[in-house]
Amino acid sequence: MNDFVSLLASQGAALVFAATLATRLGAPVPAVPFLVVAGGLTVGGQLSVVAVVLAAVLGNILGDGVWFLAGRRWGYRVMRLLCRISLSPDSCVRRSESILGRWGGWSLIAAKFVPGVSVVAPPMAGALGMSNLRFLAYETVAALIWTLLCLFVGRIFHAAIQDVLAVISNIGLGALAIGVLALAAFIGWRWRQRRLAQQVDDIVHIQVEALREALAAGAGPTVIDVRSDEARALDARAIPGAIGIGLKQLPKHLPGFADGRELVVFCDCPDDASAIAAARVLMGAGLPRVRVLAGGLDAWVALHAAEPMRQGAPMAAAHSA
């Protein structure tokens, strides 16, 4: 541990930059401890406050900037990627949508302090059309606030930090093993929670082919798009005739479905998570005819994208004959 402190004292700005950049890119690297310890080292003059601040701010801007540009370029596809690799596959994006929709650019500041949202907010800002200059302005302010707060904590508790580092140094590999086991236990618990959320024994699904036939017959079910307003702005794809009611707003609309009509809910999320949650809200209100569209919006779009190919194949064969 003394070697770590010595390394941080000699290469502090570079280490802070690398840890911050890795964190903002989504790597499992804890940047906050680096900054807090660096803040403690600035008290004795072992590190330059200006150099550490510049390194951390630059790491923030570059890391978040990569995701911002990716969101600008690929839109909802980036959000789906981030959502799929998250331990909380649907709530990560829902929280980001809620924060960004409520606070706009200021959400980039809040995102720095909300686990699971810090990586999602920049690409969502890009996908929703935030300008480069506006993003840079908000991101710089957010990075400064986050950096200065971490350094402030380190400077205030620098004496305690030295004591903690000394204890960890004495414990050595035992402390490292305990930390690794704690992290593994947390990941295992979150994975189990995710698996439990995917159990859908109480949910009835409908395939996209069946829904299309029912809608074409003119007596189809009421289709509900439970994506948020921000998600629909992010991804303009839709099922014709679907009613847009976000998952959080769904309880307010329950009286309108009390006539017992057949309902089909869908989303654009891993494992139909939001649609399943919406179906349980509807069924919990006593509505008996509720189904989830299997595969959600992606399955619907894929079906209609493949349809021209199926229709065109015989024509192409006849032409070649």
Side-chain angles (χ1 to χ4, degrees):
M1 188 57 63
N2 290 331
D3 292 339
F4 168 73
V5 175
S6 300
L7 180 62
L8 190 58
S10 61
Q11 305 292 331
L15 287 176
V16 166
F17 169 77
T20 303
L21 178 62
T23 297
R24 294 310 171 203
L25 289 175
V29 177
V32 171
F34 281 87
L35 269 173
V36 171
V37 174
L41 294 177
T42 61
V43 174
Q46 295 173 277
L47 278 179
S48 165
V49 174
V50 174
V52 172
V53 170
L54 289 176
V57 170
L58 184 60
N60 272 278
I61 292 174
L62 290 179
D64 285 346
V66 168
W67 285 118
F68 173 78
L69 294 176
R72 172 70 60 81
R73 175 66 177 81
W74 290 291
Y76 72 91
R77 296 178 183 87
V78 175
M79 307 308 303
R80 287 183 59 81
L81 170 65
L82 291 173
C83 198
R84 285 189 181 280
I85 63 178
S86 171
L87 288 175
S88 303
D90 197 39
S91 62
C92 65
V93 172
R94 285 209 310 268
R95 281 185 295 173
S96 299
E97 291 168 353
S98 176
I99 292 174
L100 195 63
R102 185 179 305 171
W103 294 334
W106 293 108
S107 64
L108 294 172
I109 299 175
K112 299 289 186 188
F113 303 95
V114 181
V117 176
S118 58
V119 176
V120 180
M124 182 168 290
L128 291 176
M130 182 180 291
S131 69
N132 294 339
L133 184 60
R134 189 177 178 214
F135 169 78
L136 183 60
Y138 279 115
E139 175 64 24
T140 301
V141 172
L144 276 172
I145 293 175
W146 178 79
T147 299
L148 292 175
L149 181 60
C150 291
L151 291 179
F152 177 75
V153 171
R155 289 178 66 87
I156 292 295
F157 298 101
H158 69 277
I161 290 173
Q162 295 293 339
D163 293 339
V164 170
L165 291 176
V167 171
I168 294 176
S169 178
N170 293 330
I171 297 176
L173 292 178
L176 179 61
I178 291 174
V180 170
L181 288 174
L183 179 60
F186 173 75
I187 293 176
W189 175 75
R190 292 302 296 268
W191 179 83
R192 183 174 182 275
Q193 294 296 110
R194 177 173 177 171
R195 297 299 299 176
L196 289 174
Q198 293 175 358
Q199 295 180 0
V200 292
D201 296 338
D202 58 328
I203 300 298
V204 178
H205 286 80
I206 181 173
Q207 300 300 316
V208 289
E209 294 88 350
L211 176 61
R212 184 182 63 174
E213 292 173 2
L215 294 176
T222 297
V223 182
I224 305 175
D225 181 351
V226 298
R227 296 177 297 164
S228 67
D229 293 339
E230 292 77 20
R232 286 192 289 275
L234 190 68
D235 181 4
R237 300 177 303 165
I239 295 178
I243 302 172
I245 303 176
L247 179 58
K248 290 185 177 181
Q249 286 72 44
L250 192 57
K252 301 177 183 178
H253 295 268
L254 291 176
F257 304 125
D259 54 6
R261 73 181 78 174
E262 182 180 3
L263 303 173
V264 171
V265 294
F266 75 91
C267 64
D268 179 32
C269 48
D271 306 310
D272 301 324
S274 288
I276 290 171
R280 287 178 174 146
V281 170
L282 294 168
M283 292 187 297
L287 303 178
R289 306 172 64 196
V290 181
R291 288 187 285 179
V292 169
L293 179 61
L297 186 58
D298 270 355
W300 176 270
V301 172
L303 174 67
H304 288 75
E307 190 65 27
M309 297 176 61
R310 288 197 296 266
Q311 293 176 353
M315 295 177 62
H319 180 72
S320 62

